[in-house]
Amino acid sequence: MEWKTFDFKGGNRKFGRKAGEIFEGDQFRCSFCSGTGILPGSKDIKCPVCRGSGIVSVKGPVVVCAYCKGRGEYPARTNITCTVCRGTGLISITKPIEVCEHCRGRGKEPGGSLPCMVCKGKGVITKKNDKER
Ligand SMILES: [Zn+2]
Ligand SMILES: [Zn+2]
Ligand SMILES: [Zn+2]
């Protein structure tokens, strides 16, 4: 399957981040607290993901976490950090990438809710060198 940028329904629209979009850099707005630095639903508890800074460090290039759809929490609306991206909503990848055929880019085991065994929840895998096939 060729890799292309596609939209997740209910994805990370608040940042305009699309699943499959590759971002360069190593500092990003924290998905878990939407960059506020405060634990969602609390008044003054520091966000455990960015430790209150609103910024997370993830070594780029990165893609949006397929497992939590970039929200940083899984399951949704629980304030439990996603185990795949540790709440950052983003995951480091090694280019070039292609869609994980096992989970079809969803990051979940087919028929289950555990992270995909093949891509570890990323939804993408590093493309194999064609010469080695
Ligand atoms: Zn945060
Ligand atoms: Zn995640
Ligand atoms: Zn997968």
Side-chain angles (χ1 to χ4, degrees):
M1 209 193 306
E2 246 333 285
W3 177 248
K4 66 173 173 31
T5 302
F6 61 98
D7 249 320
F8 266 123
K9 274 211 165 69
N12 206 350
R13 286 207 203 94
K14 58 188 175 183
F15 299 141
R17 285 178 190 153
K18 278 186 197 151
E21 216 174 322
I22 298 172
F23 299 95
E24 304 287 346
D26 51 20
Q27 292 208 316
F28 301 93
R29 195 144 35 130
C30 175
S31 285
F32 198 62
C33 63
S34 312
T36 61
I38 307 288
L39 186 73
S42 81
K43 272 194 187 125
D44 49 14
I45 301 170
K46 270 189 194 172
C47 171
V49 176
C50 59
R51 295 194 177 84
S53 68
I55 303 285
V56 290
S57 296
V58 188
K59 201 180 175 305
V62 299
V63 290
V64 173
C65 174
Y67 190 58
C68 66
K69 298 191 176 75
R71 289 190 197 96
E73 65 174 3
Y74 191 89
R77 289 182 289 279
T78 54
N79 269 359
I80 297 169
T81 48
C82 171
T83 52
V84 173
C85 61
R86 295 195 206 87
T88 61
L90 299 163
I91 306 183
S92 301
I93 48 111
T94 307
K95 288 196 279 189
I97 54 170
E98 62 184 349
V99 176
C100 172
E101 287 185 26
H102 186 65
C103 63
R104 298 185 177 278
R106 284 192 285 263
K108 284 176 200 163
E109 272 296 302
S113 59
L114 292 170
C116 172
M117 291 186 316
V118 176
C119 61
K120 309 274 193 304
K122 294 179 194 179
V124 296
I125 52 172
T126 301
K127 212 170 188 171
K128 289 186 198 85
N129 191 334
D130 284 330
K131 284 176 202 151
E132 287 172 16
R133 272 187 202 165

